[in-house]
Amino acid sequence: MNSLISARQLTPEFLGEFFRIADGMVESLSRHGASLGAGHILGTMFFEPSTRTRLSFESAMQRLGGTSLGFAEPKSSSASKGESLADTIRVVSGYADALVMRHFTDGAARLAADFTSVPFINAGDGRHEHPTQTLTDLLTLHRLGLYGQDMKIGAVGDLKYGRTVHSLVKALFDTGATIYSAAPETLRLPAELVEEAQAKGLNIVDCDSLEELLPQVSVVYMTRIQKERLDEGEDYQALAGRYVLTRELVEQHNPEACVLHPLPRVDELAYSVDDLPTAKYFEQAHMGVPARMALLAMLLGLVRWRQESLPTPRELHGERPASSGERCANTRCVINCEVFAPPLVWADGAGKLRCSYCDQELD
Ligand code: NCD
C-alpha cells in the first residue's frame, strides 16, 4: 500500500510513471466516461479551508467513475468532540478505499499515514508540505514542455510558511534546477530546506527584486503571504505588497516567462497579468484534475506502475524513536498537539536530527 506524504517521495522514476498516466488522463478528460475507478470510494477530510484541492480531488474521483464522501468543515467531524486524529483516521479508513486529508498541524500527514489501512494522500499539512499541488505544478510544466533538467524557476512571496513551495523545492532535488528566490527578509526559505536542497545539487539564488529575478528564469512561481500562518508579531500589512507581479514588470523584464501560482491570489499577482499568453495559473488549477486522477488511479492500483518508485519517507531517510531529551520544539507540529503519538527523528545528510513529522531540526 502506497501513501503520499512528502514531495521527497517523488523520485524521477515515479514522476516518469506519473506523467505517462496523467497524459492519458488529460486525453480521457476530453473523451469523458473513464470508468477505471467504478465502485471505489474516496474519503476526504478537510480540517482547513480549501477550494481547488478538495474540489479537484472530488472531480478526479468522479471522472474516474468512483464516488467520494467526507467533510470540509472540522466542526462537522468528531474532532470537535475531542477525538484524536489517529482515531479519526482509523475509523474513516474503514469507510473508503483511499483517504485525502488537509490538516492545520505541521506533520499531520506523516502521523495519519501510520494509522490508515488504505492509501493516504497529504492535501496540505500546516506550514509543512503540499505534495499534490506539486504534482499539479509539475504536470503543468510537463504539458507546456517546460519540465526537465536544469530548470530556472523563480519562487516569489512567502517561502517560509508556503507549503506549496516547500514541496516544489523537494520535488526538484536532483534535477540540477536553479531556484531564484524573492521573499521579504523574514519569509525566506527555511535554512534547513536550503541546506538540504544545496546538498542535493539544487542551486538557490536570492534576489532582492522582481526586476532582478525575472530576466533569469523561464518560470515564475508566485505565492501569497500566508496571513493565517504568521507568528505573533509578524505584520501582514508590512509584508504584503513587497513583491507584486504586474503586467508591466513581465513585459519589461521577461515577456517569455511562464507565470504560475497555486492560487488563491491576494495582492501579489495583478489581474492585468491574466491576459498575457504566458499567464498559466488557471490552466495550472485545471491540471489539478488529471494530476489527481493519475495519482488516485496509481494508489488505488487501477493502472500498472512500478510501486517501488514511490518510497516511503522512512525508506528514504531512515528513522528512529526519539530518546528522552530529544523533543521537537515546533509548537505547531502534530507531535506537540496529539500527545499519544510516538516522537520520531531522522538524521539529515549533515548529521542534524530532524523531527520525522514536521522535518524541523531539533534544538
Ligand atoms: C495553497 C495551499 O493551500 O497551501 N492552495 C492550494 O492548495 N492551491 C496555497 C495557498 O493557500 O496560498
Side-chain angles (χ1 to χ4, degrees):
M1 184 189 83
N2 291 97
S3 288
L4 178 60
I5 302 159
S6 163
R8 278 201 192 86
Q9 297 172 258
L10 305 177
T11 61
E13 299 73 45
F14 175 84
L15 288 173
E17 302 264 34
F18 168 75
F19 290 144
R20 172 178 62 79
I21 295 163
D23 282 336
M25 296 302 172
V26 173
E27 276 150 40
S28 77
L29 271 183
S30 52
R31 280 206 315 273
H32 295 289
S35 57
L36 273 177
H40 286 81
I41 301 173
L42 178 67
T44 60
M45 293 172 292
F46 280 75
F47 292 91
E48 259 196 347
S50 171
T51 303
R52 275 150 291 274
T53 305
R54 185 171 64 84
L55 296 184
S56 63
F57 262 115
E58 290 183 5
S59 171
M61 196 60 194
Q62 288 177 32
R63 286 197 187 273
L64 286 171
T67 54
S68 64
L69 52 80
F71 56 85
E73 251 294 329
K75 284 195 206 86
S76 66
S77 83
S78 280
S80 64
K81 301 182 193 166
E83 183 170 56
S84 70
L85 182 56
D87 281 359
T88 304
I89 296 294
R90 274 190 282 226
V91 169
V92 183
S93 58
Y95 302 156
D97 301 301
L99 294 184
V100 175
M101 182 184 82
R102 170 169 288 186
H103 200 269
F104 47 86
T105 57
D106 304 351
R110 172 66 181 71
L111 182 136
D114 275 349
F115 290 93
T116 180
S117 52
V118 295
F120 173 87
I121 300 170
N122 179 7
D125 57 340
R127 317 198 279 196
H128 184 223
E129 284 222 39
H130 193 349
T132 69
Q133 180 63 46
T134 301
L135 288 176
T136 302
D137 302 340
L138 297 186
L139 181 61
T140 307
L141 292 176
H142 163 76
R143 301 283 307 173
L144 292 168
L146 293 171
Y147 181 78
Q149 289 289 308
D150 306 323
M151 287 172 288
K152 298 193 183 321
I153 300 184
V156 182
D158 185 346
L159 309 185
K160 182 176 182 189
Y161 299 132
R163 56 194 174 193
T164 61
V165 171
H166 299 167
S167 288
L168 182 62
V169 168
K170 289 174 189 176
L172 295 175
F173 285 171
D174 301 318
T175 63
T178 303
I179 309 269
Y180 294 86
S181 73
E185 188 63 35
T186 53
L187 296 180
R188 298 229 168 132
L189 281 173
E192 60 251 43
L193 183 56
V194 173
E195 277 167 36
E196 191 182 355
Q198 286 172 338
K200 303 235 182 235
L202 207 66
N203 309 301
I204 311 245
V205 179
D206 284 336
C207 299
D208 286 332
S209 65
L210 285 168
E211 287 84 346
E212 183 189 340
L213 178 142
L214 281 168
Q216 317 202 57
V217 302
S218 48
V219 177
V220 52
Y221 192 93
M222 296 299 298
T223 64
R224 75 181 168 94
I225 305 296
Q226 307 274 300
K227 187 177 186 179
E228 71 281 22
R229 304 200 197 283
L230 294 178
D231 276 330
E232 235 171 88
E234 290 180 303
D235 180 2
Y236 176 76
Q237 290 310 333
L239 297 165
R242 172 77 178 79
Y243 294 97
V244 178
L245 191 69
T246 61
R247 188 184 183 101
E248 294 67 40
L249 276 171
V250 176
E251 282 174 343
Q252 275 178 31
H253 297 283
N254 191 348
E256 306 287 305
C258 164
V259 182
L260 297 183
H261 192 310
L263 303 176
R265 70 172 138 183
V266 189
D267 306 314
E268 67 287 347
L269 177 57
Y271 283 78
S272 58
V273 178
D274 297 0
D275 299 332
L276 292 174
T278 50
K280 299 294 183 191
Y281 30 92
F282 291 112
E283 283 177 41
Q284 178 189 5
H286 294 153
M287 275 297 142
V289 175
R292 291 176 171 112
M293 286 172 80
L295 178 66
L296 289 169
M298 292 170 90
L299 297 189
L300 286 165
L302 310 175
V303 287
R304 287 167 69 90
W305 62 290
R306 288 185 46 253
Q307 308 228 349
E308 61 280 13
S309 68
L310 186 70
T312 64
R314 189 182 286 135
E315 286 163 353
L316 277 172
H317 51 54
E319 179 176 271
R320 65 163 172 80
S323 52
S324 60
E326 289 173 346
R327 189 121 201 112
C328 177
N330 173 10
T331 54
R332 299 198 191 206
C333 177
V334 70
I335 192 70
N336 292 319
C337 306
E338 298 270 331
V339 281
F340 61 87
L344 298 167
V345 293
W346 61 281
D348 67 16
K352 291 185 187 142
L353 280 185
R354 313 258 207 119
C355 169
S356 281
Y357 299 95
C358 72
D359 277 331
Q360 281 202 18
E361 271 174 30
L362 300 193
D363 282 341

